[in-house]
Amino acid sequence: MNPLAHILEHKVVAIVRGANPPDLLRIAQALHAGGVRLMEITLNSPGALASIEEIAREMDGKLLVGAGTVLDPETARAALLAGAKYIISPTLNKKTIRMTKRYGAVSIPGAYTATEILKAYEYGGDLIKVFPAGASGAGYFKDIAGPLPHIPLMPTGGVSLDNIKGFADAGAKAFGLGSALVDTRQAVTDEYLTQLTAKARAFVAAVVG
């Protein structure tokens, strides 16, 4: 499996932040049932590295797991050794990109301005996370695509069912979905998991079909 091709094909990246580790496998299974094939576990979550290892093992061939909120190369390396196939950052760090590429993984650095986006791509970013996307809206992505049409962008932060189609129409190649999809503040009950699968299915249908 080519991780970058997999991301660009399936598009929806479920961001799981702060979930209780015992709940993660059931969350992953519910997302998979709804058609989601990409799951990001943020490294500021409890037991994040062990959770990445578990999901990579238990959902192998079903769901591609990555690490999020990666701020430095040392943390990126630890996540990659745990089984992450892509590294997502909220900010731009050249050394983190280089470390990720050294391990043959997909680098998704965070950027916002046109200058930052171009630098992130020139440093080796495969897909650029534009964060926070909700503050600017889909029109910003259309504007960025004018001078930088060759750079694939992933809006994250503020993406919802109401606006995801607009981001897709503006040229976004993938979508980072946090609490709009996986709300870890709620108890993970059977009803919650059923609703999660339904939400996942709706997001996938909006951008993949």
Side-chain angles (χ1 to χ4, degrees), residues 73 91-100 119 122-124:
T91 52
L92 174 56
N93 184 300
K94 188 176 184 179
K95 291 181 179 179
T96 299
I97 295 172
R98 287 180 172 175
M99 178 65 74
T100 302
K119 281 185 178 180
E122 289 177 339
Y123 289 163

Side-chain angles (χ1 to χ4, degrees), residues 146-168:
L148 303 173
H150 58 294
I151 302 180
L153 304 178
M154 183 178 84
T156 305
V159 180
S160 67
L161 267 177
D162 293 331
N163 62 23
I164 193 169
K165 188 65 166 58
F167 284 113

